[in-house]
């Protein structure tokens, strides 16, 4: 008998076998929610293959001019020389939005990079994902899903550099103004063990995130023997600061216990809304900036509901015009 999947408070979650892509259990896995820094996995999947790790870049203030206030930073400074590998460690370990923006500038600029990231999502079949910022910081109309983030992470784990960076616990980062460097540590508490979180045995990555709107998000993969379990959680509702890590641990434990017994055949295949043990995305996307995003979503006329509203509006206008003609005085 396969033990039932545990109850956790995350709004959306999914447990998969990363080796064969089987979905072992899920809750509302296509629900569209703000991803926070877990979206950096899609940025990395897009840009990593384009920039050689040994390429050296002298940072300029223009590289980070559009980093949003309140962003997490690794410490990229004007005039300091960084290798591409340095910057990727800044992305994966410190979740540095300044490192993301610098790499995006090297890729041809923010606008081009956002388009490239969206193209990658479409190519993978990550249809729940809309990208507005390369770093995952809250932006109107930006969202993803537990399903898509698992799909993205599984694809990234096939790239050796992605796999190496996502599992790096500590590194040295060049200091401003000279050859010195300073230490940085991965902010994934389940990987390194910090803030009263014990490291999870066999954890190999992938990425955590947090914003005040998204709450805590986490994509985590662990390997025991020949099996790799991948879990994604979005926005736990439990009050603990470590809830996302505690719930990930619970789901990983269940995954390793149940994977061999589970006969589930649904796969991470880039085709949302199929039978995955998760609810279909009947709920509207949750926007990053409620007022503007509500307008973007509710008045989008390429959506069936939007088309219906447009048809009603046209019908109403025609009725008003018809009544006006009926009541208008005849010409003399």
């Amino acid at each position: 008998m396969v033990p039932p999947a545990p109850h956790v408070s995350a709004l959306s979650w999914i447990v998969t076998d990363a080796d064969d892509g089987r979905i072992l259990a899920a809750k509302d896995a296509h629900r569209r929610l703000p991803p926070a820094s877990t979206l950096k996995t899609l940025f990395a999947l897009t840009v990593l293959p384009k920039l050689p790790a040994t390429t050296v870049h002298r940072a300029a203030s223009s590289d980070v001019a559009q980093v949003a206030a309140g962003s997490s930073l690794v410490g990229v400074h004007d005039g300091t020389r960084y290798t591409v590998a340095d910057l990727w460690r800044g992305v994966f370990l410190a979740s540095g939005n300044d490192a993301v923006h610098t790499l995006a500038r090297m890729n041809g600029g923010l606008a081009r990079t956002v388009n490239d990231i969206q193209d990658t999502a479409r190519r993978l079949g990550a249809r729940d994902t809309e990208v507005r910022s390369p770093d995952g910081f809250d932006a109107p109309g930006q969202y993803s899903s537990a399903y898509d983030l698992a799909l993205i992470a599984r694809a990234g784990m096939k790239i050796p550099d992605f796999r190496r960076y996502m599992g790096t616990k500590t590194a040295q980062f060049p200091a401003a103004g000279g050859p010195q460097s300073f230490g940085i540590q991965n902010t994934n508490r389940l990987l390194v063990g910090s803030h009263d979180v014990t490291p999870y045995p066999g954890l190999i990555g992938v990425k955590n995130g947090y914003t005040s709107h998204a709450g805590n998000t986490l994509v985590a993969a662990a390997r025991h023997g020949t099996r790799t379990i991948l879990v994604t959680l979005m926005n736990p509702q439990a009050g603990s600061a470590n809830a996302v890590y505690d719930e990930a641990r619970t789901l990983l434990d269940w995954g390793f216990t149940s994977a061999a017994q589970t006969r589930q055949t649904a796969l991470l295949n880039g085709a949302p809304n199929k039978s995955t043990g998760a609810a279909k995305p009947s709920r509207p996307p949750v926007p990053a900036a409620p007022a503007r995003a509500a307008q973007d979503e509710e008045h989008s006329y390429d959506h069936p509901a939007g088309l219906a509203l447009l048809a009603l509006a046209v019908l109403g206008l025609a009725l008003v015009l018809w009544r006006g003609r009926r009541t208008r005085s005849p010409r003399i």
Side-chain angles (χ1 to χ4, degrees):
M1 295 293 293
V2 179
H7 171 76
V8 295
S9 73
L11 294 179
S12 173
W13 56 265
I14 190 169
V15 183
T16 64
D17 186 317
D19 299 309
D20 58 22
R22 284 183 304 142
I23 298 171
L24 306 179
K27 173 194 171 185
D28 217 356
H30 290 294
R31 182 173 180 176
R32 295 172 174 180
L33 294 165
S37 285
T38 54
L39 195 64
K40 289 181 170 75
T41 55
L42 183 56
F43 168 72
L45 186 61
T46 302
V47 179
L48 252 175
K50 299 182 178 183
L51 302 175
T54 56
T55 298
V56 176
H57 174 74
R58 185 182 293 276
S61 58
S62 57
D63 292 341
V64 297
Q66 293 180 262
V67 174
S71 291
S72 55
L73 305 173
V74 65
V76 174
H77 288 280
D78 184 18
T80 302
R81 295 165 64 87
Y82 303 94
T83 65
V84 166
D86 289 330
L87 294 169
W88 281 119
R89 286 187 283 268
V91 171
F92 276 90
L93 277 68
S95 204
N97 289 4
D98 49 353
V100 171
H101 280 240
T102 302
L103 289 163
R105 294 270 299 189
M106 295 175 68
N107 184 57
L110 289 179
R112 175 178 175 178
T113 299
V114 168
N115 287 335
D116 289 349
I117 296 170
Q118 191 68 70
D119 287 345
T120 301
R122 295 292 175 261
R123 175 175 55 81
L124 286 176
R127 300 173 194 170
D128 300 327
T129 299
E130 290 291 336
V131 182
R132 299 290 183 268
S133 65
D135 50 30
F137 198 84
D138 290 340
Q142 178 163 272
Y143 46 80
S144 190
S145 69
Y147 182 100
D148 280 10
L149 291 171
L151 186 73
I152 293 160
R154 185 168 181 250
M157 288 164 61
K158 297 175 183 178
I159 301 173
D161 282 345
F162 186 106
R163 194 176 180 95
R164 182 172 66 256
Y165 293 131
M166 77 177 193
T168 299
K169 296 181 179 181
T170 61
Q172 294 296 118
F173 194 78
Q180 297 82 11
S181 62
F182 58 91
I184 56 175
Q185 177 173 284
N186 202 307
T187 57
N188 184 346
R189 300 176 187 180
L190 209 60
L191 178 66
V192 300
S194 65
H195 299 78
D196 298 321
V197 175
T198 302
Y200 189 83
L203 201 85
I204 58 175
V206 194
K207 190 74 188 73
N208 57 309
Y210 173 81
T211 67
S212 56
H213 188 66
N216 284 291
T217 57
L218 178 65
V219 184
R223 188 163 185 84
H224 291 175
T226 60
R227 191 179 304 280
T228 303
I229 299 296
L230 175 67
V231 304
T232 302
L233 302 96
M234 304 186 77
N235 202 349
Q237 300 299 288
S240 167
N242 288 325
V244 73
Y245 299 107
D246 295 338
E247 294 183 5
R249 184 187 305 275
T250 298
L251 292 177
L252 284 167
D253 285 346
W254 178 87
F256 282 114
T257 300
S258 306
Q261 307 171 58
T262 300
R263 297 182 182 276
Q264 177 62 268
T265 57
L267 300 176
L268 278 173
N269 58 7
N273 304 338
K274 294 187 182 298
S275 177
T276 63
K280 295 183 179 181
S282 56
R283 306 181 187 184
V286 177
R292 177 180 169 186
Q295 181 179 2
D296 290 344
E297 296 299 328
E298 293 175 7
H299 299 284
S300 175
Y301 293 130
D302 59 356
H303 188 280
L307 290 171
L309 290 172
L310 181 58
L312 288 173
V314 172
L315 181 61
L317 179 60
L319 183 61
V320 169
L321 293 173
W322 180 77
R323 286 178 175 174
R325 289 181 179 180
R326 290 287 302 272
T327 58
R328 186 178 300 156
S329 299
R331 294 181 180 180
I332 298 175

